Amino acid sequence: MSSFWLDSIAQHRVKRESLEENIDVDVAIVGGGYSGLWSAYYLKLLQNDLRIAVIESDHVGFGASGRNGGWCSGFLPVTLSDLDREHGRDAAINMYRESFRTLDEIETVLANEDIDCDYHRGGTIQGATNLVQQKRIVDEVAEMKSYGFTESDTRLLTTNECLSKISIQGLFSSSYTPHCAAIHPAKLAFGLARAVEKRGVKIYENSRVIKIGSQCVELQNTKVRCQIVVRATEGFTSQLKHHRRTLAPLYSYMVVTEPLTDSQRAEIGWLNRETYHDARNMIIYVQITKDGRIAFGGRGAPYHFGSRVKPAFDTHEVIHKRIIESMHQVFPVTKSLEITKCWGGPLGVPRNWHPSVNYDAKTGLASLGGYVGDGVSSTNLAARTLAHLIINDSHPLTKLPWVNYLSRQWEPEPMRYFGINGLLKLSAGIDRHESSTNKPDKIRAKILDIFL
Ligand SMILES: Cc1cc2nc3c(=O)[nH]c(=O)nc-3n(C[C@H](O)[C@H](O)[C@H](O)COP(=O)(O)OP(=O)(O)OC[C@H]3O[C@@H](n4cnc5c(N)ncnc54)[C@H](O)[C@@H]3O)c2cc1C
């Protein structure tokens, strides 16, 4: 299975050798997505003499990093008030400020390493298409402001202001934040791989790790001996021994259209390439690509029993149909456009919805992830944090509240299966209720709150 992004640059894919003999390195990184590649990048930046191997079961960017919606967003899957409750107000604010600053950091690396990934920081518009969503948006902006963030971080837009940027069907109101860029995800993954190889990191492809242990990584016929192992497997983590219940793989799906014609573009506007979503529970996420296609994604696909991850799950006829219907509803101009690709992939969800960066200096075991679909930018912050933890230089990033944060394990099956799918159904039901009645679905929302 591939994605529109991977297909579009298939000719630039570098084929790398697989790991055929035992090796000895300082750091073994399992997973060649953004988490693994950014980790290699910052470790090399901080300590150039480290011997680092990235071991990837398929190819660089095979996972979510080559398939995502290309939202490079400073927002996190945990809200400020959630972080405040767990870690205190200052830690929550600090986490968000660092996350917003991460876009500047990514821009610097893209320039320094000459990575062209169609990056454009046009910000994000969040729309409301009913009164409940409208209230949600107003509350979100108010919450940000109550933590000292200002109009320069997030603000409400008048309907006219929003429609002058993008033509959106049925818009009640909206908000805007500048803390997001649209990117071509696979170009970023390939560019990062080039950058780390230039610095002496060795990447092995088609090399599946079957067991991660302290100072050792085992493949089918070979072993890597090392001081430190970084687990950077995100949505695939449940496939590793001893990690069945660490992160639940939830699938997200996308479609992309052919490029809009000039007259369609004139109709829809969207000249600043803002990313777009609305305030429904079952998230949708949209970007307009550099070459004028609409890439539209959505969550809500059923969770697979036993946290299974299989190539067969990379497309889902019913969910893709639903995504296309949503796209036609939000952007009627797309009804006349051909869908040129449908795809999907797993993302990693921790039980507490709280991403983390972990490092145990005694065992040399490290991990990062659980970004719940917000990893394009967070992988950079997580990897930078991890590199400083490993180098042990007491950098301020190592004090962020996600460091060594332990989420609960997911429930054993079949509770996990019924629980996750029940919550997904509940979310979809709430959305339906809100859009048909314009009123909150208080009882179901309360149940959702209790279990999330
Ligand atoms: C359809 C979709 C849309 C998304 N949209 C967005 C978005 O717009 N914005 C956003 O911020 N986030 C988005 N996300 C999430 C984001 O893409 C991820 O959070 C991010 O890419 C995670 O990067 P990663 O390197 O941790 O994981 P991955 O990119 O999944 O990389 C993990 C790598 O590990 C490899 N691997 C797994 N098991 C093994 C093994 N046993 N041995 C060796 N290698 C192994 C895999 O092959 C894979 O290449 C989306 C995700 C999906 C699926």
Side-chain angles (χ1 to χ4, degrees):
M1 175 62 195
S2 187
S3 67
F4 161 71
W5 317 111
L6 287 166
D7 290 354
S8 71
I9 55 166
Q11 71 279 18
H12 299 302
R13 204 189 121 198
V14 176
K15 295 208 168 119
R16 300 174 172 89
E17 62 183 282
S18 55
L19 185 60
E20 302 292 353
E21 55 182 23
N22 295 345
I23 55 167
D24 203 330
V25 292
D26 297 312
V27 185
I29 298 176
V30 183
Y34 301 147
S35 290
L37 296 169
W38 281 124
S39 298
Y41 182 78
Y42 286 107
L43 280 167
K44 270 289 188 188
L45 217 59
L46 293 179
Q47 195 176 321
N48 188 38
D49 62 353
L50 282 177
R51 295 167 307 149
I52 302 176
V54 174
I55 304 147
E56 162 57 49
S57 56
D58 287 84
H59 61 78
V60 160
F62 168 82
S65 300
R67 310 183 199 189
N68 62 71
W71 276 49
C72 186
S73 161
F75 281 77
L76 298 160
V78 262
T79 62
L80 275 159
S81 52
D82 288 339
L83 286 170
D84 181 357
R85 257 193 307 280
E86 288 239 21
H87 310 282
R89 183 180 167 86
D90 290 349
I93 294 171
N94 203 14
M95 185 75 217
Y96 261 78
R97 291 229 181 273
E98 280 305 341
S99 192
F100 289 165
R101 266 187 223 124
T102 295
L103 270 76
D104 299 332
E105 168 67 18
I106 291 173
E107 277 170 25
T108 304
V109 178
L110 297 182
N112 289 348
E113 302 298 337
D114 202 13
I115 298 172
D116 176 3
C117 61
D118 301 351
Y119 183 100
H120 178 77
R121 202 195 293 202
T124 294
I125 291 176
Q126 183 176 28
T129 52
N130 60 50
L131 288 174
V132 190
Q133 290 188 12
Q134 182 169 19
K135 176 166 184 326
R136 207 168 276 141
I137 287 181
V138 170
D139 289 350
E140 278 173 20
V141 171
E143 176 178 295
M144 290 291 298
K145 292 199 175 149
S146 74
Y147 282 94
F149 291 89
T150 66
E151 292 270 302
S152 65
D153 297 300
T154 180
R155 67 189 171 92
L156 294 170
L157 295 179
T158 64
T159 309
N160 282 346
E161 220 179 332
C162 178
L163 293 178
S164 70
K165 292 171 187 283
I166 318 177
S167 175
I168 297 155
Q169 182 80 2
L171 189 82
F172 271 50
S173 64
S174 60
S175 65
Y176 175 77
T177 171
H179 300 301
C180 188
I183 65 158
H184 182 303
K187 284 188 184 174
L188 176 60
F190 286 12
L192 283 177
R194 254 196 338 269
V196 299
E197 284 177 324
K198 209 170 68 191
R199 286 167 192 274
V201 172
K202 178 77 187 166
I203 302 177
Y204 297 96
E205 294 190 327
N206 296 311
S207 304
R208 179 172 302 278
V209 168
I210 51 173
K211 192 171 165 206
I212 291 177
S214 175
Q215 306 193 327
C216 183
V217 165
E218 289 178 28
L219 291 81
Q220 193 63 46
N221 300 313
T222 46
K223 274 190 186 168
V224 182
R225 286 187 349 138
C226 51
Q227 299 302 309
I228 291 159
V229 185
V230 177
R231 170 168 54 76
T233 48
E234 242 258 328
F236 302 84
T237 302
S238 59
Q239 309 307 291
L240 285 166
K241 226 175 180 172
H242 309 308
H243 287 288
R244 282 253 175 273
R245 291 164 55 200
T246 306
L247 295 175
L250 289 194
Y251 275 77
S252 197
Y253 291 97
M254 293 203 68
V255 303
V256 72
T257 66
E258 62 182 325
L260 278 81
T261 62
D262 290 347
S263 66
Q264 286 165 334
R265 189 68 190 258
E267 191 183 319
I268 204 166
W270 216 339
L271 299 179
N272 194 29
R273 290 185 61 208
E274 296 89 350
T275 51
Y276 177 75
H277 62 150
D278 62 26
R280 70 183 86 182
N281 288 290
M282 209 60 101
I283 290 168
I284 57 155
Y285 48 95
V286 196
Q287 73 148 291
I288 189 154
T289 63
K290 193 178 172 195
D291 66 346
R293 299 162 189 270
I294 294 184
F296 199 108
R299 304 244 193 100
Y303 158 83
H304 299 281
F305 191 88
S307 292
R308 278 174 307 150
V309 174
K310 288 207 299 199
F313 301 154
D314 288 347
T315 52
H316 195 301
E317 212 176 312
V318 175
I319 301 292
H320 278 127
K321 198 162 159 265
R322 224 180 275 163
I323 289 173
I324 294 166
E325 279 164 13
S326 290
M327 180 171 75
H328 289 168
Q329 227 168 38
V330 182
F331 304 113
V333 68
T334 57
K335 284 183 192 163
S336 57
L337 291 173
E338 196 189 322
I339 307 294
T340 54
K341 184 89 181 175
C342 300
W343 73 95
L347 45 92
V349 182
R351 181 63 181 85
N352 296 6
W353 238 253
H354 187 314
S356 61
V357 180
N358 303 290
Y359 177 55
D360 178 353
K362 280 201 201 98
T363 58
L365 289 172
S367 65
L368 63 176
Y371 312 105
V372 197
D374 275 325
V376 172
S377 158
S378 314
T379 45
N380 174 285
L381 181 57
R384 259 186 300 142
T385 306
L386 182 62
H388 285 294
L389 280 170
I390 290 173
I391 301 299
N392 194 17
D393 60 0
S394 302
H395 190 276
L397 286 183
T398 62
K399 308 287 182 297
L400 288 176
W402 63 355
V403 170
N404 290 330
Y405 175 82
L406 280 186
S407 193
R408 274 185 288 153
Q409 290 272 298
W410 280 95
E411 287 75 3
E413 297 289 19
M415 258 151 53
R416 182 157 79 242
Y417 177 81
F418 289 117
I420 296 177
N421 285 326
L423 292 178
L424 289 170
K425 282 213 169 97
L426 209 61
S427 296
I430 295 173
D431 283 337
R432 274 195 303 276
H433 176 92
E434 289 175 354
S435 63
S436 63
T437 65
N438 251 330
K439 289 195 181 116
D441 187 340
K442 287 189 183 149
I443 295 174
R444 282 194 281 194
K446 186 86 202 153
I447 301 174
L448 200 64
D449 246 16
I450 292 169
F451 286 100
L452 281 185

